Amino acid sequence: MQQQTTIDLKATITPEFAGCRLDQTLAQLFPEYSRERLKNWVLAGQCHVDGVVLRPKDKVAGGESVVIQATVEVAVTWEAEDLPLEIVYEDEDLIVINKSAGVVVHPAAGNRAGTLVNALLNYAPELNMIPRAGIVHRLDKDTSGLLVVARTLIAHASLIEQLRERTVSRIYETVVNGLFLAGGTINEPIGRHPRERKKMAVTSSGRESITHYRVLKKFAKHTHIQVRLETGRTHQIRVHMMHVKHPIVGDKTYAPRIQHHFPRQALHARSLSLIHPSSGAEIGWTTELPADMQQLIKDLSCQSNT
């Protein structure tokens, strides 16, 4: 079940917005809500301008009165749990987590408890009022590393917009099978796998997906690389690496026939930077590779030297 809370907003459109589209004007008047959410409220007839329902593209003249009466769903089925969190940074707007491998981000069928969201709701109960508990991008269960959580609606709208505009920098490190001769860019669309619905794949009907990578170290049969995401599709790095025939070490979903002792996909979200929603300053964080990946790289180095 989802519980609904009512949103009541009122404002006067100032003369500076004369000639602007309604959806653009609303985004400026109510920055705590995303443009997409405001647009949906307009389309649903929940926004009135001088008592009249307009379209998002309709122009305003200035001086009108805007009233929005809408609803927001609250995920009351997500239970708070006292679970450990590795918090890298926090303030009134953001929480940055260093997620361990093996931790599921969102509760779902089969994973109702023990997730990152359950832990976050215990640590910061106000996240229950933020869409998806403030999580604007996700990491797979067996991917470790940095993940940002929005603590307010304003921060949530800001981060969603930054991700849309591709101004959030996300840098990963991974170890792949085979040898990359040099760095490069993979620009191949990703969508749902045509036959295996739990997997993603490079497909002509998919969405634009761009992955940049550079070589950090070469081993006898593997390569340690750094990856920068320009887009953020589900399983993007894993799918792109498999597509160029360099699947990630330990990836049992996309390279099940390649045997390796590493128990998970060797993928870590190492660095994250963004524009702070309140200060407007660029802010960033970096975390060390987890112990298991450090040991993997050490073992591969020893194999290369024998």
Side-chain angles (χ1 to χ4, degrees):
M1 290 180 61
Q2 296 286 317
Q3 178 179 307
Q4 292 186 334
T5 185
T6 301
I7 300 293
D8 289 300
L9 304 173
K10 295 181 180 180
T12 298
I13 300 176
T14 54
E16 65 188 281
F17 294 111
C20 295
R21 289 170 53 116
L22 175 60
D23 55 357
Q24 296 171 342
T25 302
L26 294 177
Q28 296 297 316
L29 293 176
F30 307 112
E32 63 269 35
Y33 300 98
S34 69
R35 292 186 181 184
E36 191 65 25
R37 171 166 289 187
L38 290 164
K39 179 181 177 180
N40 288 337
W41 286 342
V42 173
L43 293 172
Q46 297 174 321
C47 172
H48 293 78
V49 180
D50 281 346
V52 178
V53 174
L54 301 179
R55 298 170 299 177
K57 67 179 182 179
D58 287 340
K59 304 292 179 65
V60 299
E64 299 99 324
S65 176
V66 175
V67 175
I68 295 177
Q69 293 181 315
T71 56
V72 175
E73 291 186 342
V74 180
V76 294
T77 55
W78 293 350
E79 299 292 337
E81 291 184 77
D82 187 6
L83 301 171
L85 283 173
E86 185 179 345
I87 298 175
V88 175
Y89 173 87
E90 68 172 315
D91 59 24
E92 294 180 351
D93 299 290
L94 306 172
I95 303 175
V96 178
I97 304 293
N98 185 20
K99 187 185 86 68
S100 299
V103 176
V104 174
V105 172
H106 281 108
N111 290 292
R112 295 294 183 187
T115 73
L116 180 62
V117 164
N118 297 119
L120 283 167
L121 290 176
N122 178 73
Y123 181 79
E126 69 272 16
L127 292 176
N128 205 37
M129 295 299 297
I130 311 298
R132 300 184 67 80
I135 294 176
V136 295
H137 68 112
R138 56 169 292 176
L139 297 176
D140 296 332
K141 175 183 176 181
D142 289 328
T143 297
S144 56
L146 296 172
L147 182 146
V148 64
V149 180
R151 214 166 187 169
T152 67
L153 287 170
I154 291 177
H156 185 267
S158 172
L159 293 176
I160 291 293
E161 184 67 17
Q162 290 185 55
L163 286 165
R164 183 180 294 114
E165 296 296 324
R166 303 181 183 179
T167 57
V168 175
S169 174
R170 290 166 290 170
I171 295 177
Y172 294 69
E173 286 190 25
T174 185
V175 178
V176 299
N177 289 278
L179 294 178
F180 271 119
L181 298 179
T185 296
I186 305 170
N187 186 349
E188 295 288 349
I190 291 176
R192 188 65 58 183
H193 194 286
R195 294 179 301 279
E196 301 177 64
R197 303 306 294 170
K198 292 185 178 181
K199 294 172 63 174
M200 308 300 287
V202 169
T203 171
S204 59
S205 61
R207 300 172 66 189
E208 180 186 36
S209 306
I210 303 173
T211 302
H212 307 281
Y213 64 93
R214 69 181 183 89
V215 174
L216 296 178
K217 189 173 182 179
K218 299 177 185 178
F219 305 107
K221 297 180 180 180
H222 301 85
T223 311
H224 178 198
I225 63 173
Q226 177 180 288
V227 178
R228 179 173 64 84
L229 289 181
E230 186 170 328
T231 55
R233 310 304 174 210
T234 300
H235 299 175
Q236 179 172 319
I237 298 173
R238 299 165 65 190
V239 171
H240 270 171
M241 289 301 121
M242 185 63 192
H243 180 71
V244 297
K245 300 188 170 39
H246 289 289
I248 293 174
V249 166
D251 193 334
K252 298 177 179 61
T253 298
Y254 292 99
R257 297 180 182 178
I258 300 178
Q259 300 298 315
H260 197 282
H261 69 276
F262 202 67
R264 66 175 179 101
Q265 64 253 19
L267 182 61
H268 178 70
R270 177 109 191 226
S271 298
L272 172 70
S273 65
L274 49 87
I275 304 301
H276 193 278
S278 292
S279 70
E282 184 173 1
I283 186 170
W285 307 269
T286 300
T287 184
E288 293 298 318
L289 285 177
D292 59 352
M293 284 189 64
Q294 292 188 39
Q295 186 62 49
L296 170 65
I297 291 169
K298 181 179 178 180
D299 291 346
L300 292 175
S301 295
C302 291
Q303 294 172 19
S304 298
N305 294 330
T306 57

